[in-house]
Amino acid sequence: MGWFFSPQSRSELIAELIAPQETERASVKVIAHALRGNVLWSVAEVTAKVDGVHRDLARGQSLCYIRCDLLQRSGSEWGYKPMDESMHPYYYTCPLRYLDMAPEQSHEWREHVRAYHTKRHLPKAPESVLMA
């Protein structure tokens, strides 16, 4: 998928990306979101209004998934590149608690997310060890 730009501020773009969406086929609401630099992580809940919206959803059923929207400025416009876990985005700053909020779609990506957080929380070596 490509990038989508529009003449709005970063905060306006984020508000748009996390706002509830309604179509004839489905409704989508963001139930959690977090900004990590210019990466907007969210857990979205899709509710099918008709059959065929997703292979695992019948009409009236819901499914959660992890979204990753990359944000970027170009001149006076802000844009985003939408991805989700199934695409294995090469970004791993997703909040750990989001992994429990949606069914797994990419085992390898989730392992990278866990490794990122484990590495972040490792104690740092004392300065005297680094100088030796």
Side-chain angles (χ1 to χ4, degrees), residues 30-36 41-44 64-66 85 92-104 109-110 113-114 116-117 120-121:
V30 171
I31 59 175
H33 70 279
L35 193 57
R36 302 288 185 261
W41 294 104
S42 54
V43 178
C64 289
Y65 69 98
I66 298 173
E85 175 185 350
Y92 307 113
T93 58
C94 177
L96 275 176
R97 67 185 183 92
Y98 289 10
L99 304 184
D100 294 329
M101 298 174 73
E104 184 176 283
W109 177 79
R110 287 186 179 219
V113 170
R114 288 183 183 100
Y116 166 82
H117 285 284
R120 254 183 88 217
H121 295 319

Side-chain angles (χ1 to χ4, degrees), residues 23-103:
T23 69
E24 292 178 6
R25 299 177 43 83
S27 64
V28 180
K29 69 178 177 179
V30 171
I31 59 175
H33 70 279
L35 193 57
R36 302 288 185 261
N38 275 333
V39 181
L40 176 64
W41 294 104
S42 54
V43 178
E45 180 182 59
V46 179
T47 302
K49 294 181 180 178
V50 296
D51 291 333
V53 170
H54 186 276
R55 69 180 178 279
D56 296 331
L57 287 182
R59 182 181 181 173
Q61 292 182 324
S62 297
L63 170 73
C64 289
Y65 69 98
I66 298 173
R67 250 178 34 192
C68 171
D69 291 295
L70 305 182
L71 307 178
Q72 182 175 307
R73 185 177 183 168
S74 178
S76 62
E77 298 184 333
W78 274 91
Y80 70 101
K81 180 175 183 164
M83 293 182 278
D84 64 56
E85 175 185 350
S86 70
M87 301 166 141
H88 187 135
Y90 288 92
Y91 299 85
Y92 307 113
T93 58
C94 177
L96 275 176
R97 67 185 183 92
Y98 289 10
L99 304 184
D100 294 329
M101 298 174 73

